[in-house]
Amino acid sequence: MLAIRELCFRYPGATADVLQQVSLSAVRGEVMGLLGPNGAGKTTLIAQLAGILEMQQGQIEIDGLPLAEVRRTRATCIAIAPQEYAFYPTLSVRENLDCFAGVGGLRGAAKAERIDTCIGLGQLQNYRSVQAQRLSGGLKRRLNLSIALLHRPELILFDEPTVGVDPQSRAFLLDAIRQLAREGCAVIYTSHYMEEVQAIADRIVILDQGRVLCQGTLQDLLAGAATLRVEVEGEGAQDRLLQVLSTFGQAAAQGRGAVLALGDPVLLPEVLRSVASAGLQLRQAHFGQTDLEQLFMSLTHRSLRD
Protein backbone atom coordinates (compact mmCIF):
# COMPACT_ATOMS: atom_id res chain seq x y z
CA MET A 1 0.00 0.00 0.00
CA LEU A 2 2.88 2.35 0.90
CA ALA A 3 6.25 2.23 -0.85
CA ILE A 4 9.15 4.53 0.11
CA ARG A 5 12.26 4.45 -2.06
CA GLU A 6 15.64 6.09 -1.33
CA LEU A 7 14.14 8.98 0.62
CA CYS A 8 16.60 11.72 1.63
CA PHE A 9 15.98 14.93 3.56
CA ARG A 10 18.19 17.68 4.96
CA TYR A 11 17.01 20.62 7.06
CA PRO A 12 18.18 24.12 6.05
CA GLY A 13 21.58 24.90 7.54
CA ALA A 14 22.27 21.28 8.50
CA THR A 15 25.52 19.61 7.45
CA ALA A 16 24.08 16.09 7.05
CA ASP A 17 20.88 14.44 5.85
CA VAL A 18 18.44 13.47 8.58
CA LEU A 19 17.08 10.79 6.22
CA GLN A 20 19.61 8.88 4.12
CA GLN A 21 18.40 6.58 1.35
CA VAL A 22 15.45 5.31 3.40
CA SER A 23 13.45 2.57 1.69
CA LEU A 24 10.58 0.65 3.29
CA SER A 25 7.02 -0.48 2.71
CA ALA A 26 3.76 -0.96 4.61
CA VAL A 27 0.80 -3.12 3.68
CA ARG A 28 -2.87 -3.15 4.51
CA GLY A 29 -3.89 -5.29 7.44
CA GLU A 30 -0.58 -4.93 9.28
CA VAL A 31 0.97 -2.75 11.97
CA MET A 32 4.49 -1.59 11.14
CA GLY A 33 6.53 -0.58 14.18
CA LEU A 34 8.89 2.29 13.34
CA LEU A 35 11.66 2.45 15.94
CA GLY A 36 14.75 4.53 16.51
CA PRO A 37 16.61 6.60 19.12
CA ASN A 38 16.05 10.34 19.41
CA GLY A 39 17.27 12.02 16.24
CA ALA A 40 16.98 8.85 14.15
CA GLY A 41 14.66 10.51 11.61
CA LYS A 42 11.31 9.02 12.64
CA THR A 43 9.48 12.32 13.10
CA THR A 44 10.88 13.69 9.82
CA LEU A 45 9.66 10.60 7.98
CA ILE A 46 6.20 10.85 9.56
CA ALA A 47 6.06 14.57 8.72
CA GLN A 48 6.78 13.85 5.06
CA LEU A 49 4.11 11.16 4.90
CA ALA A 50 1.64 13.55 6.53
CA GLY A 51 2.47 16.31 4.03
CA ILE A 52 3.97 18.63 6.65
CA LEU A 53 7.41 18.60 5.01
CA GLU A 54 8.09 18.79 1.28
CA MET A 55 9.98 15.90 -0.29
CA GLN A 56 13.50 16.66 -1.45
CA GLN A 57 14.78 13.40 -2.92
CA GLY A 58 13.33 9.92 -3.36
CA GLN A 59 9.85 8.53 -3.94
CA ILE A 60 6.77 7.93 -1.81
CA GLU A 61 3.90 6.07 -3.44
CA ILE A 62 0.44 5.07 -2.23
CA ASP A 63 -1.04 2.18 -4.22
CA GLY A 64 1.52 2.89 -6.95
CA LEU A 65 0.65 6.60 -7.23
CA PRO A 66 2.93 9.48 -6.17
CA LEU A 67 2.14 10.85 -2.71
CA ALA A 68 1.57 14.37 -4.09
CA GLU A 69 -1.11 13.08 -6.47
CA VAL A 70 -2.82 11.07 -3.71
CA ARG A 71 -2.84 14.09 -1.42
CA ARG A 72 -4.55 16.14 -4.17
CA THR A 73 -7.20 13.56 -5.00
CA ARG A 74 -7.61 11.48 -1.79
CA ALA A 75 -6.19 13.67 0.95
CA THR A 76 -8.17 12.00 3.73
CA CYS A 77 -6.88 8.50 2.97
CA ILE A 78 -3.88 9.32 5.21
CA ALA A 79 -4.41 10.34 8.84
CA ILE A 80 -2.08 11.08 11.72
CA ALA A 81 -2.56 10.79 15.47
CA PRO A 82 0.40 12.86 16.67
CA GLN A 83 2.24 12.89 19.96
CA GLU A 84 0.92 16.39 20.64
CA TYR A 85 -2.75 17.01 21.35
CA ALA A 86 -4.23 17.90 17.94
CA PHE A 87 -7.53 19.56 18.75
CA TYR A 88 -8.98 22.90 19.89
CA PRO A 89 -8.82 22.96 23.72
CA THR A 90 -11.76 25.33 24.25
CA LEU A 91 -14.14 23.33 22.03
CA SER A 92 -16.07 20.36 23.34
CA VAL A 93 -15.41 16.82 22.18
CA ARG A 94 -18.33 16.91 19.73
CA GLU A 95 -17.46 20.42 18.50
CA ASN A 96 -13.91 19.29 17.73
CA LEU A 97 -15.15 16.31 15.77
CA ASP A 98 -17.68 18.51 13.94
CA CYS A 99 -14.91 20.96 13.00
CA PHE A 100 -12.48 18.34 11.67
CA ALA A 101 -15.24 16.45 9.88
CA GLY A 102 -16.22 19.62 8.04
CA VAL A 103 -12.64 20.47 7.11
CA GLY A 104 -12.36 17.04 5.50
CA GLY A 105 -15.49 17.56 3.43
CA LEU A 106 -18.11 15.64 5.38
CA ARG A 107 -21.59 17.16 5.30
CA GLY A 108 -25.11 16.51 6.51
CA ALA A 109 -26.19 13.05 7.60
CA ALA A 110 -22.85 11.49 6.62
CA LYS A 111 -21.03 13.89 8.92
CA ALA A 112 -23.39 13.27 11.83
CA GLU A 113 -23.03 9.50 11.38
CA ARG A 114 -19.23 9.61 11.39
CA ILE A 115 -19.11 11.89 14.42
CA ASP A 116 -21.33 9.53 16.41
CA THR A 117 -19.37 6.50 15.20
CA CYS A 118 -16.00 8.00 16.15
CA ILE A 119 -17.29 9.13 19.54
CA GLY A 120 -18.21 5.48 20.06
CA LEU A 121 -14.86 4.23 18.78
CA GLY A 122 -13.09 6.44 21.29
CA GLN A 123 -15.60 5.55 24.02
CA LEU A 124 -16.24 9.25 24.56
CA GLN A 125 -20.04 9.08 24.81
CA ASN A 126 -20.06 10.52 28.33
CA TYR A 127 -17.81 13.43 27.37
CA ARG A 128 -19.46 14.84 24.22
CA SER A 129 -20.12 18.24 25.80
CA VAL A 130 -16.91 18.49 27.86
CA GLN A 131 -14.28 21.01 26.76
CA ALA A 132 -11.24 19.17 25.41
CA GLN A 133 -8.90 21.01 27.78
CA ARG A 134 -10.78 19.52 30.76
CA LEU A 135 -10.25 15.91 29.67
CA SER A 136 -7.71 13.63 31.35
CA GLY A 137 -4.57 12.64 29.47
CA GLY A 138 -6.04 9.31 28.44
CA LEU A 139 -9.27 10.90 27.19
CA LYS A 140 -7.29 13.46 25.19
CA ARG A 141 -5.43 10.61 23.47
CA ARG A 142 -8.76 8.98 22.70
CA LEU A 143 -10.02 12.25 21.21
CA ASN A 144 -6.87 12.39 19.03
CA LEU A 145 -7.69 8.88 17.84
CA SER A 146 -11.35 9.68 17.15
CA ILE A 147 -10.41 12.72 15.06
CA ALA A 148 -7.88 10.68 13.08
CA LEU A 149 -10.54 8.07 12.22
CA LEU A 150 -13.25 10.50 11.04
CA HIS A 151 -12.60 10.05 7.31
CA ARG A 152 -11.99 6.30 7.28
CA PRO A 153 -8.27 6.58 6.46
CA GLU A 154 -6.44 3.75 4.74
CA LEU A 155 -3.00 4.65 6.15
CA ILE A 156 -2.82 5.81 9.77
CA LEU A 157 0.33 7.24 11.36
CA PHE A 158 0.63 6.97 15.14
CA ASP A 159 3.46 9.06 16.62
CA GLU A 160 4.00 8.17 20.31
CA PRO A 161 0.23 7.88 20.95
CA THR A 162 0.47 6.51 24.50
CA VAL A 163 2.84 9.04 26.11
CA GLY A 164 1.65 9.99 29.58
CA VAL A 165 -1.49 7.85 29.73
CA ASP A 166 -2.68 5.44 32.41
CA PRO A 167 -2.43 1.64 31.88
CA GLN A 168 -6.15 1.27 31.12
CA SER A 169 -6.05 3.97 28.41
CA ARG A 170 -2.87 2.47 26.97
CA ALA A 171 -4.51 -0.96 26.72
CA PHE A 172 -7.58 0.57 25.07
CA LEU A 173 -5.48 2.44 22.49
CA LEU A 174 -3.39 -0.62 21.64
CA ASP A 175 -6.51 -2.76 21.21
CA ALA A 176 -8.03 -0.09 18.95
CA ILE A 177 -4.89 0.04 16.80
CA ARG A 178 -4.83 -3.75 16.41
CA GLN A 179 -8.48 -3.64 15.35
CA LEU A 180 -7.76 -0.98 12.72
CA ALA A 181 -5.20 -3.28 11.11
CA ARG A 182 -7.58 -6.25 11.27
CA GLU A 183 -10.14 -4.13 9.42
CA GLY A 184 -7.68 -3.54 6.58
CA CYS A 185 -5.85 -0.33 7.42
CA ALA A 186 -2.09 0.05 7.01
CA VAL A 187 -0.74 1.30 10.34
CA ILE A 188 2.64 2.87 11.12
CA TYR A 189 3.30 3.01 14.85
CA THR A 190 6.23 4.84 16.46
CA SER A 191 6.99 4.47 20.15
CA HIS A 192 9.86 4.26 22.62
CA TYR A 193 7.92 1.60 24.54
CA MET A 194 9.39 -1.59 23.10
CA GLU A 195 6.92 -3.87 24.84
CA GLU A 196 4.05 -2.04 23.12
CA VAL A 197 5.60 -2.44 19.69
CA GLN A 198 6.44 -6.09 20.28
CA ALA A 199 2.83 -6.68 21.37
CA ILE A 200 1.10 -5.17 18.32
CA ALA A 201 3.55 -4.93 15.39
CA ASP A 202 3.61 -7.40 12.51
CA ARG A 203 6.63 -5.78 10.89
CA ILE A 204 9.51 -3.76 12.35
CA VAL A 205 11.73 -1.04 10.89
CA ILE A 206 14.62 0.29 13.00
CA LEU A 207 16.13 3.64 12.01
CA ASP A 208 19.28 5.26 13.33
CA GLN A 209 21.09 8.36 12.11
CA GLY A 210 18.72 8.54 9.17
CA ARG A 211 19.38 5.03 7.88
CA VAL A 212 17.40 1.79 8.01
CA LEU A 213 19.35 -0.65 10.20
CA CYS A 214 16.97 -3.57 9.74
CA GLN A 215 13.43 -4.35 8.68
CA GLY A 216 11.25 -7.42 8.47
CA THR A 217 8.61 -9.33 10.36
CA LEU A 218 9.02 -9.41 14.11
CA GLN A 219 9.26 -13.19 13.96
CA ASP A 220 12.06 -13.13 11.38
CA LEU A 221 14.07 -10.44 13.17
CA LEU A 222 13.99 -12.31 16.48
CA ALA A 223 14.34 -15.82 15.05
CA GLY A 224 17.62 -17.45 15.90
CA ALA A 225 18.78 -14.54 18.03
CA ALA A 226 19.41 -15.65 21.60
CA THR A 227 20.96 -13.96 24.61
CA LEU A 228 22.69 -15.12 27.76
CA ARG A 229 22.29 -12.89 30.82
CA VAL A 230 24.77 -13.59 33.61
CA GLU A 231 25.09 -12.03 37.08
CA VAL A 232 28.21 -12.50 39.20
CA GLU A 233 29.32 -11.63 42.74
CA GLY A 234 32.37 -9.73 43.90
CA GLU A 235 34.24 -6.48 43.41
CA GLY A 236 35.54 -6.06 39.87
CA ALA A 237 33.75 -9.24 38.81
CA GLN A 238 31.67 -7.49 36.16
CA ASP A 239 34.73 -6.27 34.24
CA ARG A 240 36.25 -9.76 34.28
CA LEU A 241 32.93 -11.24 33.19
CA LEU A 242 32.78 -8.86 30.22
CA GLN A 243 36.28 -9.93 29.17
CA VAL A 244 35.26 -13.59 29.25
CA LEU A 245 31.97 -13.13 27.41
CA SER A 246 33.46 -10.84 24.76
CA THR A 247 35.48 -13.77 23.41
CA PHE A 248 32.19 -15.40 22.35
CA GLY A 249 30.43 -12.40 20.78
CA GLN A 250 29.03 -8.95 21.50
CA ALA A 251 28.69 -8.44 25.26
CA ALA A 252 27.47 -5.45 27.26
CA ALA A 253 27.23 -4.60 30.95
CA GLN A 254 23.79 -5.03 32.52
CA GLY A 255 23.01 -4.64 36.23
CA ARG A 256 25.44 -6.74 38.27
CA GLY A 257 26.52 -8.73 35.27
CA ALA A 258 26.42 -8.72 31.49
CA VAL A 259 24.39 -9.82 28.50
CA LEU A 260 25.86 -11.75 25.57
CA ALA A 261 24.34 -12.08 22.10
CA LEU A 262 24.96 -15.76 21.50
CA GLY A 263 24.46 -16.73 17.88
CA ASP A 264 25.00 -20.47 18.38
CA PRO A 265 23.29 -22.06 21.42
CA VAL A 266 25.73 -25.00 21.19
CA LEU A 267 28.35 -22.69 22.70
CA LEU A 268 26.36 -22.21 25.93
CA PRO A 269 28.13 -24.95 28.00
CA GLU A 270 31.53 -23.66 26.88
CA VAL A 271 30.61 -20.09 27.86
CA LEU A 272 29.55 -21.17 31.36
CA ARG A 273 32.71 -23.28 31.78
CA SER A 274 34.81 -20.25 30.83
CA VAL A 275 32.99 -18.11 33.42
CA ALA A 276 33.72 -20.74 36.10
CA SER A 277 37.35 -21.15 34.98
CA ALA A 278 37.87 -17.40 35.40
CA GLY A 279 37.08 -17.81 39.09
CA LEU A 280 33.85 -15.83 38.88
CA GLN A 281 31.11 -16.57 41.43
CA LEU A 282 27.90 -17.06 39.43
CA ARG A 283 24.80 -15.49 40.98
CA GLN A 284 22.33 -16.38 38.24
CA ALA A 285 22.17 -17.05 34.49
CA HIS A 286 19.30 -16.87 32.04
CA PHE A 287 19.36 -18.04 28.44
CA GLY A 288 16.60 -17.49 25.89
CA GLN A 289 15.45 -15.81 22.72
CA THR A 290 16.20 -12.11 22.54
CA ASP A 291 13.35 -9.62 22.73
CA LEU A 292 12.78 -6.47 20.69
CA GLU A 293 14.44 -4.18 23.23
CA GLN A 294 17.60 -6.28 23.28
CA LEU A 295 17.69 -6.33 19.47
CA PHE A 296 17.17 -2.56 19.39
CA MET A 297 19.98 -1.92 21.88
CA SER A 298 22.38 -4.23 20.07
CA LEU A 299 21.80 -2.36 16.80
CA THR A 300 21.74 1.22 18.10
CA HIS A 301 24.17 0.77 21.03
CA ARG A 302 23.76 2.38 24.43
CA SER A 303 25.01 5.95 24.02
CA LEU A 304 22.52 8.63 24.99
CA ARG A 305 20.89 10.61 22.17
CA ASP A 306 19.67 14.21 22.31
Side-chain angles (χ1 to χ4, degrees):
M1 189 268 184
L2 168 70
I4 299 174
R5 300 185 185 91
E6 299 184 348
L7 195 65
C8 298
F9 188 86
R10 180 179 297 191
Y11 288 100
T15 58
D17 290 348
V18 69
L19 295 177
Q20 303 182 49
Q21 305 292 323
V22 169
S23 297
L24 55 88
S25 62
V27 301
R28 287 180 173 84
E30 287 189 353
V31 178
M32 188 187 81
L34 180 62
L35 304 176
N38 290 334
K42 305 186 303 296
T43 298
T44 300
L45 178 57
I46 293 292
Q48 290 203 305
L49 291 172
I52 299 169
L53 288 176
E54 293 284 343
M55 287 178 53
Q56 294 176 346
Q57 181 180 330
Q59 295 178 311
I60 301 177
E61 294 181 346
I62 304 290
D63 292 328
L65 299 174
L67 177 63
E69 180 179 338
V70 172
R71 295 198 65 80
R72 281 195 305 271
T73 59
R74 299 161 51 206
T76 58
C77 83
I78 303 173
I80 180 170
Q83 180 176 346
E84 299 79 14
Y85 297 134
F87 45 73
Y88 294 102
T90 59
L91 297 183
S92 70
V93 166
R94 185 174 182 85
E95 287 168 343
N96 266 289
L97 288 164
D98 184 78
C99 174
F100 285 100
V103 167
L106 287 173
R107 299 287 184 270
K111 180 170 76 168
E113 184 274 330
R114 281 308 293 167
I115 290 173
D116 287 341
T117 296
C118 291
I119 285 175
L121 290 172
Q123 294 189 12
L124 294 166
Q125 295 93 328
N126 295 332
Y127 305 94
R128 303 170 178 264
S129 302
V130 177
Q131 279 188 332
Q133 63 188 358
R134 298 183 181 277
L135 299 174
S136 67
L139 289 169
K140 288 175 178 176
R141 294 291 177 194
R142 283 151 59 180
L143 178 55
N144 261 11
L145 173 65
S146 295
I147 291 171
L149 299 181
L150 273 168
H151 301 281
R152 295 186 176 92
E154 300 170 54
L155 171 64
I156 310 177
L157 315 172
F158 289 94
D159 189 7
E160 301 281 352
T162 62
V163 171
V165 304
D166 60 272
Q168 289 83 2
S169 293
R170 175 174 287 114
F172 170 81
L173 290 168
L174 295 179
D175 286 343
I177 291 167
R178 286 192 202 95
Q179 184 60 34
L180 290 170
R182 285 194 289 265
E183 292 173 357
C185 289
V187 176
I188 296 180
Y189 186 91
T190 73
S191 177
H192 288 298
Y193 300 125
M194 298 293 160
E195 69 279 5
E196 286 185 4
V197 178
Q198 185 160 347
I200 69 169
D202 302 289
R203 301 178 61 82
I204 301 291
V205 175
I206 298 180
L207 287 177
D208 195 15
Q209 298 179 345
R211 296 184 181 276
V212 175
L213 299 183
C214 70
Q215 59 180 308
T217 66
L218 181 63
Q219 182 178 1
D220 287 345
L221 291 179
L222 298 183
T227 57
L228 173 65
R229 291 190 292 277
V230 180
E231 288 189 11
V232 289
E233 300 281 4
E235 185 177 351
Q238 187 178 51
D239 290 338
R240 287 187 289 142
L241 176 65
L242 280 169
Q243 291 176 357
V244 172
L245 296 184
S246 294
T247 63
F248 294 93
Q250 184 176 354
Q254 186 180 81
R256 298 181 182 178
V259 59
L260 169 68
L262 192 61
D264 187 354
V266 174
L267 294 174
L268 179 60
E270 184 179 349
V271 174
L272 295 177
R273 281 195 297 270
S274 297
V275 171
S277 298
L280 293 165
Q281 183 178 350
L282 187 66
R283 186 170 184 268
Q284 67 173 4
H286 178 271
F287 178 75
Q289 186 183 49
T290 189
D291 60 21
L292 183 57
E293 183 169 359
Q294 291 163 349
L295 174 66
F296 179 85
M297 295 298 288
S298 70
L299 291 172
T300 62
H301 310 296
R302 292 176 172 266
S303 58
L304 293 176
R305 311 297 174 89
D306 296 327

